[in-house]
Amino acid sequence: MKLGLIAGNGRFPFLVLDAARAQGYQVTVVAVKEEAFPGLADAAAREPRAQLHWVSLGQLGTCIKVLKAAGVSRAVMAGQVKHVKIFSGILPDLTLLSVLRRLKAKNTDAVIAAVADVLADHGITLIDSTELLQPLLARPGALTARALTPEEHADLAFGYRMADAIAALDVGQSVAVKDGAVVAVEAMEGTDEMLRRAGQLAGPGVRLVKVAKPNQDMRFDVPVIGVLTIAVLRDIGATALSVDAGKTLLVDGQAVIDAANAAGIAIVGREISG
């Protein structure tokens, strides 16, 4: 079995690579030079059947050529490519340029969905990014030892309405709230930077609500948290975090819950339909 892995930054690509190898896949990794961690080369080298190719951001045609040459018909996207880089001087090849010219909006969903369509045109199906990592998806209910306080529960309930609204607009997927007020809204800067801003604005006691988009396309832009997320929450004095069960990936597994317990941060998985 052959699988293509299109890798951005973070630990997500490492997890997919390990899971794919464990399930018997021969993996061809296309790593984005400007985003993927250098250690991905060492991880790929541990598997004789794995091939690693570094491709510059914007070189969609090269990515397709690499995957097709490897005989790949199924691929997975894992890891972030910062949306802001669309505006920071990437050099699109003719394949990507043709995609961007057709777009009416350059939001995350529009860009990546268009890329997925081009891959499909070349016989490469993009599968769900979590297909190989089901055990790492957040489960519903309380995930930590400490339950929510009534005040935290009220703030999260308030935050759901705001986070669901911005996610539906594909602006971001997280909001920071405190005492029934929105402190900060995530946009291109990402969750961690938004949280640091919230800490500066409101001080300790912030709660984070991170949601999936309505009808979340699990092939890309899936909500992710890890121990680094918990570290930022701890540093700003945040007390609670809500994620969408079955739609949010805990990239560090149980270590995320252990870190939250150590910091006294309550985590809950919101049960959603669909």
Side-chain angles (χ1 to χ4, degrees):
M1 296 185 293
K2 296 182 178 181
L3 182 72
L5 168 56
I6 303 171
N9 68 25
R11 291 196 57 240
F12 197 172
F14 293 82
L15 297 174
V16 172
L17 179 58
D18 287 343
R21 290 188 301 202
Q23 296 180 37
Y25 284 98
Q26 180 179 340
V27 185
T28 297
V29 183
V30 178
V32 178
K33 285 182 182 178
E34 296 82 358
E35 294 283 2
F37 289 173
L40 195 58
D42 293 333
R46 291 195 294 269
E47 170 56 61
R49 296 184 304 163
Q51 303 174 37
L52 176 68
H53 303 265
W54 293 96
V55 175
S56 289
L57 186 64
Q59 304 304 294
L60 178 59
T62 302
C63 173
I64 292 171
K65 287 178 182 177
V66 166
L67 295 176
K68 286 178 69 68
V72 167
S73 61
R74 301 173 80 239
V76 58
M77 284 185 177
Q80 185 185 37
V81 173
K82 297 181 180 65
H83 189 184
V84 70
K85 290 195 174 180
I86 294 175
F87 303 100
S88 62
I90 68 167
L91 297 175
D93 62 10
L94 291 177
T95 305
L96 182 58
L97 192 60
S98 68
V99 171
L100 296 177
R101 283 175 173 169
R102 293 198 301 265
L103 295 176
K104 294 182 179 179
K106 290 184 179 178
N107 56 21
T108 304
D109 273 2
V111 172
I112 306 182
V115 169
D117 288 343
V118 172
L119 289 171
D121 290 342
H122 287 83
I124 301 168
T125 300
L126 199 62
I127 66 173
D128 286 358
S129 59
T130 59
E131 182 172 315
L132 305 178
L133 301 173
Q134 293 297 309
L136 295 180
L137 289 172
R139 58 179 174 77
L143 303 181
T144 48
R146 182 176 74 78
L148 297 172
T149 66
E151 294 77 15
E152 289 168 342
H153 190 278
D155 267 351
L156 294 182
F158 167 76
Y160 292 143
R161 292 190 286 118
M162 308 304 165
D164 286 339
I166 68 163
L169 295 171
D170 199 19
V171 173
Q173 293 175 285
S174 302
V175 298
V177 298
K178 180 179 177 180
D179 297 335
V182 174
V183 177
V185 174
E186 178 191 26
M188 284 190 182
E189 79 277 28
T191 304
D192 290 353
E193 289 303 314
M194 181 272 289
L195 281 172
R196 293 186 181 98
R197 179 159 47 89
Q200 293 172 350
L201 291 170
V206 166
R207 344 295 190 181
L208 172 64
V209 175
K210 192 173 188 69
V211 302
K213 298 170 187 175
N215 302 313
Q216 174 75 48
D217 191 329
M218 297 299 287
R219 297 176 301 172
F220 47 79
D221 206 26
V222 175
V224 173
I225 64 168
V227 293
L228 292 178
T229 312
I230 304 303
V232 176
L233 290 168
R234 180 200 61 213
D235 291 346
I236 69 169
T239 68
L241 162 64
S242 175
V243 297
D244 281 355
K247 302 286 186 180
T248 306
L249 192 69
L250 278 58
V251 293
D252 297 301
Q254 183 60 35
V256 176
I257 307 304
D258 293 342
N261 283 331
I265 298 169
I267 304 180
V268 62
R270 179 177 67 153
E271 190 165 12
I272 56 176
S273 58

